[in-house]
Amino acid sequence: MKFKIKNDSYFKTKKYIWSNNTCLGYVLCELKEKKDFNWNNHDKQDICDKFITKYNAIAYPNEACGQYESIENACLALQKKQKEIFDN
């Protein structure tokens, strides 16, 4: 299934997830510092080596769906949660 991702115009780390003309919820992007980052060689390492991006999925109306390594997995979790809510 295809997802459309739209950025929030006021909150840059918030992305709305749309599927079949329905907003499933949103994903909040979060930067976390890697635990194994070597501070002794930080001048030689790229900034991407220091941080990892996590995606927190929130389904409408206000259901947390967990934290994911990729935005694709967060979108699938939103879709699954909306299906569970609709089926009930």
Coordinates of all heavy atoms in Angstrom, one line a residue:
M1 N 0.8 -1.2 0.0 CA 0.0 0.0 0.0 C 0.9 1.2 0.0 O 1.9 1.3 0.7 CB -0.9 0.0 1.2 CG -1.8 1.2 1.3 SD -3.1 1.0 2.6 CE -4.2 -0.1 1.8
K2 N 0.4 2.3 -0.7 CA 1.2 3.5 -0.8 C 0.8 4.4 0.3 O -0.4 4.5 0.7 CB 1.0 4.2 -2.2 CG 1.7 3.5 -3.3 CD 1.5 4.4 -4.5 CE 2.6 4.1 -5.5 NZ 2.7 5.0 -6.6
F3 N 1.8 5.2 0.8 CA 1.6 6.2 1.8 C 2.0 7.5 1.3 O 3.0 7.6 0.6 CB 2.3 5.8 3.1 CG 1.9 4.6 3.7 CD1 2.7 3.4 3.6 CD2 0.8 4.5 4.5 CE1 2.4 2.2 4.2 CE2 0.4 3.3 5.1 CZ 1.2 2.2 5.0
K4 N 1.3 8.6 1.6 CA 1.7 9.9 1.4 C 2.2 10.5 2.7 O 1.5 10.4 3.7 CB 0.6 10.8 0.8 CG 0.4 10.7 -0.6 CD -0.6 11.8 -1.0 CE -0.8 11.8 -2.5 NZ -1.8 12.7 -2.9
I5 N 3.3 11.2 2.6 CA 3.9 11.8 3.8 C 3.9 13.3 3.6 O 4.5 13.8 2.7 CB 5.3 11.2 4.1 CG1 5.2 9.7 4.3 CG2 5.9 11.9 5.3 CD1 6.6 9.0 4.4
K6 N 3.2 14.0 4.5 CA 3.2 15.4 4.4 C 3.8 16.0 5.7 O 3.5 15.6 6.8 CB 1.8 15.9 4.3 CG 1.1 15.5 3.0 CD 0.2 16.6 2.6 CE -0.3 16.2 1.2 NZ -0.8 17.4 0.5
N7 N 4.7 17.0 5.5 CA 5.3 17.7 6.6 C 4.4 18.7 7.3 O 3.6 19.3 6.6 CB 6.6 18.4 6.2 CG 7.7 17.4 5.8 OD1 7.7 16.3 6.2 ND2 8.5 17.9 4.8
D8 N 4.4 18.8 8.6 CA 3.7 19.8 9.3 C 4.4 21.1 9.1 O 5.7 21.2 9.1 CB 3.7 19.5 10.8 CG 2.8 20.5 11.6 OD1 3.1 21.7 11.6 OD2 1.9 20.0 12.2
S9 N 3.7 22.2 8.7 CA 4.3 23.5 8.4 C 4.9 24.2 9.6 O 5.7 25.1 9.5 CB 3.3 24.4 7.7 OG 2.2 24.6 8.4
Y10 N 4.5 23.9 10.8 CA 4.9 24.5 12.0 C 5.9 23.7 12.9 O 6.7 24.2 13.5 CB 3.7 24.9 12.9 CG 2.8 25.9 12.2 CD1 1.6 25.5 11.7 CD2 3.2 27.3 12.1 CE1 0.8 26.4 11.0 CE2 2.4 28.2 11.5 CZ 1.2 27.8 10.9 OH 0.4 28.6 10.3
F11 N 5.7 22.4 12.8 CA 6.5 21.5 13.7 C 7.3 20.6 12.7 O 6.8 19.6 12.2 CB 5.6 20.7 14.6 CG 6.2 20.0 15.7 CD1 7.2 20.5 16.4 CD2 5.8 18.7 15.9 CE1 7.8 19.8 17.5 CE2 6.4 18.0 17.0 CZ 7.4 18.6 17.7
K12 N 8.6 20.9 12.4 CA 9.3 20.3 11.4 C 9.6 18.8 11.5 O 9.8 18.1 10.6 CB 10.7 21.0 11.2 CG 10.5 22.5 10.8 CD 9.9 22.6 9.4 CE 9.8 24.0 9.0 NZ 9.0 24.1 7.8
T13 N 9.5 18.3 12.8 CA 9.8 16.9 12.9 C 8.5 16.0 12.9 O 8.6 14.8 13.2 CB 10.6 16.6 14.3 OG1 9.8 17.1 15.3 CG2 11.9 17.3 14.3
K14 N 7.4 16.7 12.7 CA 6.1 16.0 12.6 C 5.7 15.7 11.2 O 5.7 16.7 10.4 CB 5.1 16.8 13.3 CG 3.7 16.1 13.5 CD 2.8 17.1 14.3 CE 1.6 16.4 14.7 NZ 0.7 17.3 15.5
K15 N 5.4 14.5 10.8 CA 5.0 14.1 9.5 C 3.6 13.4 9.5 O 3.5 12.4 10.3 CB 6.0 13.3 8.8 CG 7.4 13.9 8.7 CD 8.4 13.0 8.1 CE 9.8 13.6 8.1 NZ 9.9 14.9 7.5
Y16 N 2.7 13.9 8.8 CA 1.4 13.3 8.7 C 1.4 12.2 7.6 O 2.0 12.3 6.6 CB 0.3 14.3 8.3 CG 0.1 15.4 9.4 CD1 0.7 16.6 9.2 CD2 -0.6 15.1 10.5 CE1 0.5 17.6 10.2 CE2 -0.8 16.1 11.5 CZ -0.2 17.3 11.3 OH -0.4 18.2 12.3
I17 N 0.8 11.0 8.0 CA 0.8 9.9 7.1 C -0.6 9.7 6.5 O -1.6 9.5 7.3 CB 1.2 8.6 7.9 CG1 2.5 8.9 8.6 CG2 1.3 7.4 6.9 CD1 3.7 9.3 7.8
W18 N -0.7 9.7 5.2 CA -2.0 9.6 4.5 C -2.0 8.3 3.7 O -1.0 7.9 3.1 CB -2.2 10.7 3.6 CG -2.4 12.0 4.3 CD1 -1.5 12.8 4.9 CD2 -3.7 12.7 4.5 NE1 -2.1 13.9 5.4 CE2 -3.4 13.9 5.2 CE3 -5.0 12.4 4.1 CZ2 -4.5 14.7 5.5 CZ3 -6.0 13.2 4.5 CH2 -5.7 14.4 5.2
S19 N -3.2 7.6 3.7 CA -3.4 6.4 2.8 C -4.8 6.4 2.4 O -5.7 6.6 3.2 CB -3.1 5.2 3.7 OG -3.3 4.0 2.9
N20 N -5.0 6.3 1.1 CA -6.4 6.3 0.5 C -7.2 7.5 0.9 O -8.3 7.4 1.4 CB -7.1 5.0 0.9 CG -6.5 3.8 0.3 OD1 -5.9 3.9 -0.8 ND2 -6.6 2.7 1.0
N21 N -6.6 8.7 0.9 CA -7.3 10.0 1.2 C -7.7 10.0 2.7 O -8.6 10.8 3.0 CB -8.4 10.3 0.3 CG -8.0 10.5 -1.2 OD1 -6.9 11.0 -1.4 ND2 -8.8 10.0 -2.1
T22 N -7.1 9.3 3.5 CA -7.4 9.3 5.0 C -6.1 9.5 5.7 O -5.1 8.8 5.5 CB -8.0 7.9 5.4 OG1 -9.2 7.7 4.6 CG2 -8.4 8.0 6.8
C23 N -6.1 10.4 6.7 CA -4.9 10.6 7.5 C -5.0 9.5 8.6 O -5.9 9.5 9.5 CB -4.9 12.0 8.1 SG -3.4 12.4 9.0
L24 N -3.9 8.7 8.7 CA -3.9 7.6 9.6 C -3.3 8.1 11.0 O -3.7 7.5 12.0 CB -2.9 6.5 9.1 CG -3.3 5.9 7.8 CD1 -2.2 4.9 7.4 CD2 -4.7 5.2 7.9
G25 N -2.5 9.1 11.0 CA -1.9 9.7 12.2 C -0.7 10.4 11.8 O -0.6 11.0 10.7
Y26 N 0.3 10.5 12.7 CA 1.5 11.2 12.4 C 2.7 10.5 13.0 O 2.6 9.6 13.8 CB 1.4 12.6 12.9 CG 1.2 12.8 14.3 CD1 2.2 12.9 15.2 CD2 -0.1 12.9 14.8 CE1 2.0 13.1 16.6 CE2 -0.4 13.1 16.1 CZ 0.6 13.2 17.0 OH 0.4 13.3 18.4
V27 N 3.9 10.9 12.5 CA 5.1 10.3 12.9 C 6.0 11.5 13.4 O 6.1 12.5 12.7 CB 5.8 9.5 11.8 CG1 7.2 9.1 12.2 CG2 5.0 8.3 11.4
L28 N 6.6 11.3 14.6 CA 7.5 12.3 15.1 C 8.9 11.7 15.0 O 9.2 10.6 15.4 CB 7.2 12.6 16.6 CG 5.9 13.3 16.9 CD1 5.6 13.3 18.4 CD2 5.9 14.7 16.3
C29 N 9.8 12.5 14.3 CA 11.1 12.1 14.2 C 12.0 12.6 15.4 O 11.8 13.7 15.8 CB 11.7 12.7 12.9 SG 10.8 12.3 11.4
E30 N 12.8 11.7 15.8 CA 13.6 12.0 17.0 C 15.1 11.6 16.8 O 15.3 10.5 16.3 CB 13.0 11.2 18.2 CG 13.7 11.3 19.5 CD 13.1 10.5 20.6 OE1 12.0 9.9 20.3 OE2 13.7 10.4 21.6
L31 N 16.0 12.5 17.1 CA 17.4 12.2 16.9 C 17.9 11.7 18.3 O 17.7 12.4 19.3 CB 18.2 13.4 16.5 CG 18.2 13.8 15.0 CD1 19.0 15.0 14.8 CD2 18.7 12.6 14.2
K32 N 18.6 10.6 18.3 CA 19.2 10.0 19.5 C 20.7 9.8 19.3 O 21.1 9.5 18.2 CB 18.5 8.7 19.9 CG 17.1 8.9 20.4 CD 16.7 7.6 21.0 CE 15.4 7.8 21.8 NZ 15.0 6.6 22.5
E33 N 21.4 10.1 20.3 CA 22.9 9.8 20.2 C 23.2 8.3 20.3 O 22.6 7.6 21.2 CB 23.6 10.6 21.4 CG 25.1 10.5 21.3 CD 25.7 11.3 22.4 OE1 25.2 12.4 22.7 OE2 26.7 10.9 22.9
K34 N 24.1 7.9 19.5 CA 24.4 6.5 19.5 C 25.2 6.2 20.8 O 26.1 7.0 21.2 CB 25.3 6.1 18.3 CG 24.5 6.0 17.0 CD 25.4 5.6 15.9 CE 24.6 5.5 14.6 NZ 25.5 5.1 13.5
K35 N 25.0 5.0 21.3 CA 25.6 4.6 22.6 C 27.1 4.3 22.4 O 27.9 4.6 23.2 CB 25.0 3.4 23.2 CG 23.5 3.6 23.5 CD 23.3 4.5 24.7 CE 21.9 4.6 25.1 NZ 21.5 5.6 25.9
D36 N 27.4 3.8 21.2 CA 28.8 3.4 20.9 C 29.6 4.4 20.2 O 30.7 4.1 19.6 CB 28.8 2.1 20.1 CG 28.1 2.2 18.8 OD1 27.4 3.3 18.6 OD2 28.2 1.3 18.0
F37 N 29.2 5.7 20.2 CA 30.0 6.8 19.6 C 31.3 7.0 20.3 O 31.4 7.1 21.5 CB 29.2 8.1 19.5 CG 29.9 9.2 18.8 CD1 30.0 9.2 17.5 CD2 30.4 10.2 19.5 CE1 30.6 10.2 16.8 CE2 31.0 11.3 18.9 CZ 31.1 11.3 17.5
N38 N 32.4 7.0 19.5 CA 33.7 7.2 20.1 C 34.1 8.7 20.2 O 34.4 9.3 19.2 CB 34.8 6.5 19.3 CG 36.1 6.5 19.8 OD1 36.4 7.1 20.9 ND2 37.0 5.8 19.2
W39 N 34.0 9.3 21.4 CA 34.3 10.7 21.5 C 35.7 11.0 21.3 O 36.1 12.2 21.1 CB 33.8 11.2 22.9 CG 32.3 11.4 22.9 CD1 31.4 10.5 23.4 CD2 31.6 12.5 22.4 NE1 30.1 11.0 23.2 CE2 30.3 12.3 22.6 CE3 32.0 13.7 21.8 CZ2 29.3 13.2 22.3 CZ3 31.0 14.6 21.4 CH2 29.7 14.3 21.7
N40 N 36.6 10.1 21.4 CA 38.0 10.3 21.2 C 38.4 10.7 19.8 O 39.3 11.4 19.5 CB 38.9 9.1 21.7 CG 38.7 8.9 23.2 OD1 38.5 9.8 23.9 ND2 38.8 7.6 23.6
N41 N 37.6 10.1 18.9 CA 37.8 10.4 17.4 C 36.7 11.2 16.8 O 36.5 11.1 15.6 CB 38.0 9.1 16.7 CG 39.2 8.3 17.1 OD1 40.2 8.9 17.5 ND2 39.1 7.0 17.0
H42 N 36.0 12.0 17.6 CA 34.8 12.7 17.0 C 35.2 13.7 15.9 O 34.4 14.0 15.1 CB 34.0 13.3 18.1 CG 34.7 14.5 18.8 ND1 34.9 15.7 18.2 CD2 35.1 14.7 20.0 CE1 35.5 16.5 19.0 NE2 35.6 15.9 20.1
D43 N 36.4 14.2 15.9 CA 36.8 15.1 14.8 C 36.9 14.5 13.5 O 36.7 15.1 12.4 CB 38.1 15.8 15.1 CG 38.1 16.7 16.3 OD1 36.9 17.2 16.6 OD2 39.1 17.0 17.0
K44 N 37.2 13.2 13.5 CA 37.3 12.4 12.2 C 36.1 11.8 11.7 O 36.0 11.2 10.6 CB 38.4 11.4 12.4 CG 39.8 12.0 12.8 CD 40.8 10.9 13.0 CE 42.1 11.5 13.5 NZ 43.0 10.5 14.0
Q45 N 35.0 11.8 12.5 CA 33.8 11.1 12.2 C 32.7 12.1 11.7 O 32.7 13.2 12.1 CB 33.2 10.3 13.4 CG 34.1 9.2 13.8 CD 33.6 8.5 15.0 OE1 32.9 9.1 15.8 NE2 33.9 7.2 15.1
D46 N 31.9 11.6 10.8 CA 30.8 12.4 10.3 C 29.7 12.5 11.3 O 29.5 11.7 12.2 CB 30.3 11.6 9.0 CG 29.3 12.5 8.2 OD1 29.2 13.7 8.5 OD2 28.6 11.9 7.3
I47 N 28.9 13.6 11.2 CA 27.8 13.8 12.2 C 26.8 12.7 12.1 O 26.1 12.4 13.1 CB 27.1 15.2 11.9 CG1 26.2 15.6 13.0 CG2 26.4 15.2 10.6 CD1 26.8 16.0 14.3
C48 N 26.6 12.1 10.9 CA 25.7 10.9 10.8 C 26.1 9.7 11.6 O 25.3 8.9 12.0 CB 25.5 10.5 9.3 SG 24.8 11.8 8.3
D49 N 27.4 9.7 11.9 CA 27.9 8.6 12.8 C 27.5 8.8 14.2 O 27.6 7.8 15.0 CB 29.4 8.4 12.6 CG 29.9 8.0 11.2 OD1 29.1 7.4 10.5 OD2 31.0 8.4 10.9
K50 N 27.2 10.0 14.6 CA 27.0 10.3 16.0 C 25.5 10.0 16.4 O 25.2 9.7 17.6 CB 27.3 11.7 16.3 CG 27.2 12.1 17.7 CD 27.6 13.6 18.0 CE 27.5 14.0 19.4 NZ 27.8 15.3 19.7
F51 N 24.6 10.3 15.5 CA 23.2 10.2 15.8 C 22.5 9.1 15.0 O 22.9 8.7 13.9 CB 22.5 11.5 15.5 CG 23.0 12.7 16.4 CD1 23.9 13.6 15.9 CD2 22.6 12.8 17.7 CE1 24.4 14.6 16.7 CE2 23.0 13.8 18.5 CZ 23.9 14.7 18.0
I52 N 21.3 8.7 15.5 CA 20.4 7.8 14.9 C 19.0 8.4 14.9 O 18.7 9.0 15.9 CB 20.5 6.4 15.5 CG1 19.7 5.4 14.7 CG2 20.0 6.4 16.9 CD1 19.9 3.9 15.0
T53 N 18.3 8.2 13.9 CA 16.9 8.7 13.8 C 15.9 7.6 14.2 O 16.0 6.5 13.7 CB 16.6 9.2 12.4 OG1 17.6 10.2 12.0 CG2 15.2 9.9 12.4
K54 N 15.0 8.0 15.1 CA 13.9 7.1 15.5 C 12.6 7.7 15.1 O 12.5 9.0 15.1 CB 14.0 6.9 17.0 CG 15.2 6.2 17.6 CD 15.2 4.8 17.2 CE 16.3 4.1 17.9 NZ 16.2 2.7 17.9
Y55 N 11.6 6.9 14.8 CA 10.3 7.4 14.4 C 9.2 6.9 15.4 O 9.0 5.7 15.5 CB 10.0 6.9 13.0 CG 11.1 7.4 12.0 CD1 12.2 6.6 11.7 CD2 11.0 8.6 11.4 CE1 13.1 7.0 10.8 CE2 11.9 9.1 10.5 CZ 13.0 8.3 10.2 OH 13.9 8.7 9.3
N56 N 8.6 7.9 16.0 CA 7.5 7.6 17.0 C 6.2 7.7 16.2 O 5.8 8.8 15.7 CB 7.5 8.5 18.1 CG 8.8 8.4 18.9 OD1 9.2 7.3 19.3 ND2 9.5 9.5 19.2
A57 N 5.4 6.6 16.2 CA 4.1 6.6 15.4 C 3.0 6.9 16.4 O 2.9 6.2 17.4 CB 3.9 5.3 14.7
I58 N 2.1 7.8 16.0 CA 0.9 8.1 16.8 C -0.3 8.1 15.9 O -0.4 8.8 15.0 CB 1.0 9.6 17.4 CG1 2.3 9.8 18.1 CG2 -0.2 9.8 18.3 CD1 2.5 9.0 19.4
A59 N -1.2 7.1 16.1 CA -2.4 6.9 15.3 C -3.5 7.8 15.9 O -3.6 8.0 17.1 CB -2.8 5.5 15.3
Y60 N -4.4 8.3 15.0 CA -5.5 9.0 15.5 C -6.5 8.1 16.1 O -6.6 6.9 15.7 CB -6.2 9.8 14.3 CG -5.4 11.0 13.9 CD1 -5.0 11.2 12.6 CD2 -4.9 11.9 14.8 CE1 -4.3 12.3 12.2 CE2 -4.2 13.0 14.5 CZ -3.9 13.2 13.2 OH -3.2 14.3 12.8
P61 N -7.2 8.4 17.2 CA -7.3 9.8 17.8 C -6.1 10.1 18.6 O -5.6 11.2 18.6 CB -8.6 9.7 18.6 CG -8.8 8.3 18.9 CD -8.2 7.5 17.8
N62 N -5.5 9.2 19.4 CA -4.3 9.5 20.2 C -3.7 8.2 20.7 O -3.6 8.0 21.9 CB -4.6 10.5 21.3 CG -3.3 11.1 21.8 OD1 -2.3 11.0 21.2 ND2 -3.4 11.7 23.0
E63 N -3.4 7.3 19.8 CA -2.9 6.0 20.2 C -1.4 5.8 19.8 O -1.1 5.9 18.7 CB -3.7 4.9 19.5 CG -5.1 4.9 19.8 CD -5.5 4.1 21.1 OE1 -4.7 3.2 21.4 OE2 -6.5 4.4 21.7
A64 N -0.6 5.6 20.8 CA 0.9 5.4 20.5 C 1.0 4.0 19.9 O 0.5 3.0 20.4 CB 1.7 5.5 21.8
C65 N 1.9 4.0 18.9 CA 2.1 2.7 18.2 C 3.5 2.2 18.3 O 3.9 1.2 17.8 CB 1.8 2.9 16.7 SG 0.1 3.3 16.4
G66 N 4.4 2.9 19.0 CA 5.7 2.5 19.2 C 6.7 3.3 18.5 O 6.4 4.3 17.8
Q67 N 8.0 2.9 18.7 CA 9.1 3.6 18.1 C 9.8 2.7 17.1 O 10.0 1.5 17.4 CB 10.1 4.1 19.2 CG 11.2 5.0 18.7 CD 12.0 5.5 19.9 OE1 12.7 4.7 20.5 NE2 12.0 6.8 20.1
Y68 N 10.2 3.2 15.9 CA 10.7 2.4 14.8 C 12.0 3.0 14.3 O 12.2 4.2 14.4 CB 9.6 2.3 13.8 CG 8.4 1.6 14.3 CD1 7.3 2.4 14.8 CD2 8.3 0.2 14.3 CE1 6.2 1.8 15.3 CE2 7.2 -0.4 14.9 CZ 6.1 0.4 15.4 OH 5.0 -0.2 15.9
E69 N 12.7 2.1 13.6 CA 14.0 2.5 13.0 C 13.8 3.1 11.7 O 14.7 3.9 11.2 CB 14.9 1.2 12.8 CG 15.2 0.5 14.1 CD 16.4 1.2 14.8 OE1 17.2 1.8 14.2 OE2 16.4 1.1 16.1
S70 N 12.7 2.9 11.0 CA 12.4 3.5 9.7 C 11.0 4.0 9.6 O 10.1 3.6 10.3 CB 12.6 2.4 8.6 OG 11.6 1.5 8.6
I71 N 10.9 5.0 8.8 CA 9.5 5.6 8.6 C 8.6 4.7 8.0 O 7.4 4.7 8.2 CB 9.6 7.0 7.9 CG1 8.4 7.8 8.1 CG2 9.9 6.8 6.4 CD1 8.5 9.2 7.8
E72 N 9.1 3.7 7.1 CA 8.2 2.8 6.5 C 7.6 1.8 7.5 O 6.4 1.6 7.5 CB 9.0 1.9 5.5 CG 9.5 2.7 4.3 CD 10.8 3.4 4.5 OE1 11.4 3.1 5.6 OE2 11.2 4.2 3.7
N73 N 8.3 1.4 8.5 CA 7.8 0.6 9.6 C 6.8 1.3 10.5 O 5.8 0.8 10.9 CB 8.9 0.0 10.4 CG 9.7 -1.1 9.7 OD1 9.3 -1.6 8.8 ND2 11.0 -1.3 10.2
A74 N 7.1 2.6 10.7 CA 6.1 3.4 11.4 C 4.8 3.6 10.7 O 3.7 3.5 11.3 CB 6.8 4.8 11.7
C75 N 4.9 3.7 9.4 CA 3.7 3.8 8.6 C 2.8 2.5 8.6 O 1.6 2.6 8.8 CB 4.0 4.2 7.1 SG 4.7 5.8 6.9
L76 N 3.5 1.4 8.5 CA 2.8 0.1 8.6 C 2.2 -0.1 10.0 O 1.1 -0.6 10.1 CB 3.8 -1.0 8.3 CG 4.3 -1.1 6.9 CD1 5.4 -2.1 6.7 CD2 3.1 -1.4 5.9
A77 N 2.8 0.4 11.1 CA 2.3 0.3 12.4 C 1.0 1.2 12.5 O 0.0 0.8 13.2 CB 3.3 0.7 13.4
L78 N 1.0 2.3 11.9 CA -0.1 3.2 11.9 C -1.3 2.5 11.2 O -2.4 2.5 11.7 CB 0.2 4.6 11.3 CG 1.0 5.5 12.0 CD1 1.4 6.7 11.2 CD2 0.3 6.0 13.3
Q79 N -1.0 1.9 10.1 CA -2.0 1.2 9.3 C -2.6 0.1 10.1 O -3.8 -0.1 10.1 CB -1.4 0.8 8.0 CG -2.4 0.1 7.1 CD -1.8 -0.4 5.8 OE1 -0.6 -0.9 5.8 NE2 -2.5 -0.2 4.7
K80 N -1.8 -0.7 10.7 CA -2.2 -1.8 11.5 C -3.1 -1.4 12.7 O -4.1 -1.9 13.0 CB -1.0 -2.6 12.1 CG -1.4 -3.8 12.9 CD -0.1 -4.5 13.3 CE -0.5 -5.6 14.3 NZ 0.7 -6.3 14.9
K81 N -2.7 -0.3 13.4 CA -3.4 0.2 14.5 C -4.8 0.7 14.1 O -5.8 0.5 14.7 CB -2.7 1.3 15.2 CG -3.4 2.0 16.4 CD -3.7 1.0 17.5 CE -2.6 0.9 18.5 NZ -3.0 0.1 19.7
Q82 N -4.9 1.4 12.9 CA -6.2 1.9 12.4 C -7.1 0.8 12.0 O -8.3 0.9 12.3 CB -5.9 2.9 11.3 CG -5.3 4.2 11.6 CD -6.3 5.0 12.5 OE1 -7.4 4.7 12.7 NE2 -5.7 6.1 13.0
K83 N -6.5 -0.3 11.5 CA -7.3 -1.4 11.2 C -7.9 -2.1 12.4 O -9.1 -2.4 12.5 CB -6.5 -2.5 10.4 CG -7.3 -3.7 9.9 CD -6.5 -4.6 9.1 CE -7.2 -5.8 8.6 NZ -8.4 -6.2 9.3
E84 N -7.1 -2.2 13.5 CA -7.6 -2.7 14.8 C -8.7 -1.8 15.4 O -9.7 -2.3 15.8 CB -6.4 -2.8 15.8 CG -5.4 -3.8 15.5 CD -4.2 -3.7 16.5 OE1 -4.2 -2.9 17.4 OE2 -3.2 -4.5 16.2
I85 N -8.5 -0.5 15.3 CA -9.5 0.4 15.8 C -10.8 0.3 15.0 O -11.9 0.2 15.6 CB -9.0 1.9 15.8 CG1 -7.9 2.0 16.8 CG2 -10.1 2.8 16.1 CD1 -7.1 3.3 16.7
F86 N -10.7 0.2 13.7 CA -11.9 0.1 12.8 C -12.6 -1.2 13.0 O -13.8 -1.2 13.0 CB -11.4 0.3 11.3 CG -12.6 0.3 10.4 CD1 -13.4 1.4 10.3 CD2 -12.9 -0.8 9.6 CE1 -14.5 1.5 9.4 CE2 -13.9 -0.8 8.7 CZ -14.8 0.3 8.6
D87 N -11.8 -2.3 13.2 CA -12.4 -3.6 13.3 C -13.2 -3.7 14.7 O -14.2 -4.5 14.7 CB -11.4 -4.7 13.2 CG -10.9 -4.9 11.8 OD1 -11.5 -4.4 10.9 OD2 -9.9 -5.6 11.7
N88 N -12.8 -3.0 15.7 CA -13.5 -3.0 17.0 C -14.7 -2.1 16.9 O -15.7 -2.2 17.4 CB -12.6 -2.6 18.1 CG -11.6 -3.7 18.4 OD1 -11.8 -4.8 18.2 ND2 -10.5 -3.2 19.0

